[in-house]
């Protein structure tokens, strides 16, 4: 059984349907991407999984447990962490305070210290700047902070919403290399939402393509990469 | 004369500051103005009086109980009047706040009557002279307590886990939820803390001026709100500073120019500051990198 299973998920903003019955799954240890244009419903899907938006229908199961109507903070406690679109860091808090907030629900002081070391090894820049107010970091550093902070919860699944947004190509590459390494070397299960289809197809084993609230195609990333229609509409080749 | 008025100004300024903190903390987290906060202050005052007079308790027991009861009132207000309409238009929240304010005033009138009561806390007023300045033990108590509470609040907000969670929630409720923070609890806690501070201010005013009546929250609430805006709403040090500025300015204005224009000085300084710095003295405009 898949670790994260989404069945016929529906979300409405007022009367306007944002998700019209989305179904997909993520296996343990797998990296899966959702790609598509603006307004396709990618972010809404992640918000629905994290319990930020109300569902109009469908179910979400995580590790066999129905989490469809659980409040957001309990979902984090169960092991689903999200790196928000636009990074969502607390720009009024220091880097260290941000990282500590990632471990908000944990009580094991020793484990928290260990994981902090791990985050600093992954992103040495964060350690250099730990007492700085997070709002003064560059966009790339903020993205590193957002990812590091999410890892502090020791999640079983990491949801990433547009990690490439607003970053220079060089930083985007660094971030995606980190994401891929997290998945390949540490076995972290990843659900990635991206407009940058090229990067998404690089990082994910499987990819779902969304259009106006529905999944229109899915498949192995390496196959989609060579598909003519996809190359034309999503990769601009 | 100058030092005397300065001390008087600091005393009422400290009281404004305590009330202003409740406005600014709630605004910081929910971006709403809790217009019923002045009446929470009034409730704190009446509850302090009720526990000491009607129930005959010693003030050391009565006042903490009153503070706890006022915290409960504040938490209930959020639960009943604000939480159900949190996603609604800000105008709806404003109407709801005014409704709560009217309710609390009428509740107090119903229970305690419309007349002015004496506070009778059992604390004796003693005055003494320091050079040319006359101070009372209550005045010193007000100043010391205001300062201590502000330091405690500063430490809670900046050094404790729940304080950091409060600041995180005030920056973004969604981001805070995604950290696993139960933001509803943080919001309740914020209302509770703000109400405790308002209750302390109410009790201090009760002891200092020895007059308690159901509509007293209006003028104090408005002044404290002005203080919060003056300091930069959403900013905790701003509310403290704003409270002292308003208290000192109105006291000096009343003493040196005309006591009839006391309120005009308080709101005049607000208008002048807002013309030159619309975000308030310590207010900051958020600049987020994208």
């Amino acid at each position: 059984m898949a670790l994260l299973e989404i069945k016929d998920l529906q979300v409405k903003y007022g009367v306007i349907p944002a998700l019209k019955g989305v179904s997909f799954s993520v296996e343990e240890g797998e990296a899966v991407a959702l790609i598509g244009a603006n307004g396709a419903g990618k972010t809404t899907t992640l918000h629905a999984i994290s319990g930020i938006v109300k569902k109009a229908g469908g179910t979400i199961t995580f590790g066999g447990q129905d989490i469809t109507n659980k409040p957001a903070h309990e979902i984090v406690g169960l092991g689903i962490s999200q790196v928000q679109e636009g990074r969502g860091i607390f720009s009024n808090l220091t880097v260290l305070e941000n990282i500590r907030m990632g471990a908000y629900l944990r009580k094991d002081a020793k484990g928290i210290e260990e994981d902090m070391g791990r985050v600093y090894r992954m992103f040495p820049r964060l350690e250099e700047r730990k007492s700085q107010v997070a709002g003064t970091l560059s966009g790339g550093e903020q993205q590193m902070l957002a990812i590091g902070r999410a890892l502090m919860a020791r999640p079983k699944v990491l949801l990433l919403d547009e990690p490439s947004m607003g970053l220079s190509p060089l930083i985007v590459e660094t971030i995606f290399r980190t994401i891929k390494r997290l998945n390949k070397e540490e076995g972290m299960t990843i659900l990635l939402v991206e407009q940058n289809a090229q990067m998404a197809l690089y990082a994910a084993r499987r990819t779902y393509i969304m259009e106006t609230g529905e999944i229109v195609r899915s498949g192995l990333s390496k196959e989609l990469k060579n598909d003519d229609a996809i190359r034309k509409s999503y990769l601009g080749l | 004369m100058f030092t005397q008025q300065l001390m008087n100004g600091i005393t009422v300024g400290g009281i404004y500051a305590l009330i202003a903190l409740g406005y600014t903390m709630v605004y910081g987290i929910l971006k709403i103005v809790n217009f019923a906060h002045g009446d929470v202050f009034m409730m704190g005052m009446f509850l302090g009086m009720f526990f000491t007079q009607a129930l005959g308790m010693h003030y050391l027991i009565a006042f903490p109980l009153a503070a706890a009861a006022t915290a409960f009132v504040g938490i209930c207000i959020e639960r009943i009047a604000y939480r159900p309409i949190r996603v609604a238009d800000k105008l709806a929240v404003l109407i709801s706040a005014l409704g709560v304010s009217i309710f609390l005033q009428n509740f107090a009138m119903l229970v305690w009557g419309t007349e002015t009561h004496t506070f009778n806390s059992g604390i004796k007023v003693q005055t003494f002279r320091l050079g040319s300045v006359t101070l009372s033990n209550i005045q010193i108590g007000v100043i010391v307590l205001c300062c201590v509470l502000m330091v405690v609040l500063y430490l809670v907000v900046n050094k404790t886990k729940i304080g950091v969670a409060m600041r995180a929630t005030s920056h973004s409720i969604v981001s805070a939820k995604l950290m696993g923070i139960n933001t509803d609890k943080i919001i309740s806690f914020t209302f509770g803390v703000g109400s405790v501070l308002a209750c302390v201010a109410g009790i201090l005013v009760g002891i200092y001026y020895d007059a308690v009546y159901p509509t007293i929250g209006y003028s104090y609430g408005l002044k404290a709100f002005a203080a919060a805006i003056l300091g930069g709403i959403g900013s905790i040090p701003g509310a403290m500073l704003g409270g002292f500025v308003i208290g000192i300015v109105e006291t000096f204005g009343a003493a040196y120019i005309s006591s009839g224009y006391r309120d005009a000085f308080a709101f005049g300084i607000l208008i002048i500051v807002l013309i030159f710095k619309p975000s308030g003295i310590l207010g900051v405009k958020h600049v987020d990198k994208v």
Side-chain angles (χ1 to χ4, degrees):
Chain A
M1 195 179 56
L3 181 60
L4 183 64
E5 183 101 49
I6 284 94
K7 272 202 188 119
D8 193 33
L9 182 64
Q10 293 158 47
V11 172
K12 284 189 179 125
Y13 292 128
V15 290
I16 302 157
L19 298 182
K20 309 175 215 168
V22 168
S23 302
F24 65 93
S25 61
V26 184
E27 304 285 336
E28 193 162 356
E30 197 183 24
V32 170
L34 292 178
I35 63 171
N38 244 344
K42 308 184 299 292
T43 295
T44 302
T45 306
L46 291 195
H47 276 182
I49 296 170
S50 282
I52 298 292
V53 294
K54 272 212 180 105
K55 291 95 195 165
T59 56
I60 302 170
T61 30
F62 176 62
Q65 193 182 353
D66 183 5
I67 60 161
T68 315
N69 294 312
K70 283 212 180 299
H73 60 273
E74 283 181 27
I75 291 174
V76 177
L78 290 172
I80 303 182
S81 279
Q82 183 180 151
V83 176
Q84 276 171 276
E85 182 178 14
R87 305 177 264 284
I89 62 146
F90 302 115
S91 56
N92 55 335
L93 269 52
T94 64
V95 170
L96 183 63
E97 284 172 332
N98 266 280
I99 291 174
R100 285 202 173 278
M101 277 293 108
Y104 185 77
L105 292 174
R106 291 174 58 184
K107 304 255 185 288
D108 54 326
K110 226 182 122 203
I112 293 174
E113 289 301 320
E114 272 171 33
D115 284 357
M116 238 189 247
R118 186 173 140 228
V119 168
Y120 287 149
R121 275 194 300 283
M122 197 179 287
F123 304 114
R125 200 84 65 84
L126 296 180
E127 186 164 27
E128 287 163 31
R129 314 214 153 179
K130 63 182 172 189
S131 47
Q132 215 168 305
V133 174
T136 62
L137 297 182
S138 73
E141 289 163 347
Q142 290 192 5
Q143 189 65 66
M144 293 172 193
L145 176 58
I147 294 172
R149 187 180 65 175
L151 292 175
M152 287 303 294
R154 275 204 191 163
K156 296 190 183 103
V157 178
L158 186 62
L159 312 180
L160 290 156
D161 196 350
E162 304 246 7
S164 76
M165 191 170 125
L167 301 180
S168 75
L170 213 67
I171 308 269
V172 170
E173 240 171 75
T174 317
I175 297 283
F176 272 86
R177 234 179 286 131
T178 309
I179 294 170
K180 191 148 187 174
R181 209 180 51 222
L182 263 174
N183 173 245
K184 290 271 182 245
E185 289 171 22
E186 305 196 20
M188 176 68 71
T189 310
I190 287 173
L191 175 59
L192 169 73
V193 152
E194 255 305 338
Q195 280 197 58
N196 185 334
Q198 201 172 346
M199 278 317 204
L201 291 168
Y202 155 79
R205 192 180 79 89
R206 285 189 302 126
T207 296
Y208 292 89
I209 301 178
M210 288 188 80
E211 262 173 35
T212 57
E214 281 167 307
I215 288 177
V216 291
R217 277 199 68 173
S218 64
L220 291 172
S221 302
K222 58 184 177 197
E223 286 166 12
L224 292 173
K225 238 183 285 190
N226 298 319
D227 184 290
D228 279 341
I230 304 236
R231 283 169 70 90
K232 223 171 136 192
S233 33
Y234 292 98
L235 298 173
L237 298 171
Chain B
M1 168 90 168
F2 179 84
T3 326
Q4 177 72 56
Q5 293 307 332
L6 185 65
M7 293 314 287
N8 294 346
I10 290 174
T11 310
V12 353
I15 285 164
Y16 290 154
L18 286 183
I19 310 171
L21 286 166
Y23 280 107
T24 221
M25 286 195 295
V26 165
Y27 183 85
I29 288 201
L30 289 177
K31 305 292 175 284
I32 61 164
V33 177
N34 176 15
F35 274 113
H37 191 59
D39 300 293
V40 172
F41 155 84
M42 177 274 294
M43 284 301 290
M45 206 169 185
F46 267 105
L47 286 167
M49 185 193 80
F50 175 72
F51 282 117
T52 43
Q53 285 185 22
L55 303 182
M57 291 175 181
H58 189 268
Y59 63 85
L60 284 177
I61 302 163
F63 292 166
L65 276 179
T70 313
F72 180 72
V73 170
I75 290 165
C76 287
I77 291 172
E78 189 271 328
R79 254 293 185 20
I80 296 165
Y82 301 144
R83 193 174 297 180
I85 52 171
R86 202 179 286 160
V87 288
D89 197 88
K90 292 281 182 272
L91 196 61
V93 181
L94 177 71
I95 304 289
S96 194
L98 293 176
V100 172
S101 168
I102 294 167
F103 171 80
L104 289 177
Q105 281 180 28
N106 283 277
F107 177 83
M109 286 181 204
L110 199 68
V111 176
W112 292 294
T114 51
E115 70 273 20
T116 302
H117 303 259
T118 54
F119 198 77
N120 279 336
S121 59
I123 299 175
K124 283 205 178 65
V125 183
Q126 290 166 322
T127 55
F128 39 87
R129 292 182 67 86
L130 282 169
S132 62
V133 182
T134 310
L135 283 175
S136 70
N137 54 341
I138 291 167
Q139 227 174 339
I140 293 170
V142 170
I143 296 170
V144 169
L145 198 56
C146 288
C147 294
V148 167
L149 283 174
M150 286 182 219
V151 171
V152 169
L153 183 69
Y154 178 84
L155 292 176
V156 167
V157 169
N158 288 289
K159 303 288 176 200
T160 65
K161 192 173 175 183
I162 194 162
V164 182
M166 276 170 82
R167 285 188 288 140
T169 306
S170 97
H171 185 262
S172 161
I173 288 188
V174 169
S175 300
K177 279 184 178 170
L178 291 175
M179 298 297 107
I181 297 171
N182 184 346
T183 50
D184 283 342
K185 264 197 190 152
I186 298 290
I187 290 165
S188 290
F189 180 76
T190 307
F191 271 82
V193 171
S195 303
V196 166
L197 296 176
C199 174
V200 173
I203 289 170
L204 292 174
V205 169
I207 299 169
Y208 190 47
Y209 294 106
D210 206 20
V212 184
Y213 50 95
T215 52
I216 194 170
Y218 176 73
S219 59
Y220 277 90
L222 206 56
K223 290 273 183 60
F225 176 56
I229 299 273
L230 178 68
I233 195 149
S235 155
I236 287 176
M240 297 176 187
L241 181 68
F244 285 116
V245 169
I246 295 236
I248 291 167
V249 166
E250 73 164 27
T251 307
F252 274 110
Y256 288 102
I257 305 169
S258 164
S259 63
Y261 287 101
R262 178 181 284 270
D263 293 353
F265 295 117
F267 295 111
I269 180 89
L270 175 69
I271 292 169
I272 292 166
V273 169
L274 291 187
I275 287 172
F276 295 104
K277 196 160 185 295
S279 53
I281 302 171
L282 298 181
V284 276
K285 278 190 187 154
H286 272 292
V287 184
D288 284 317
K289 284 190 180 169
V290 180

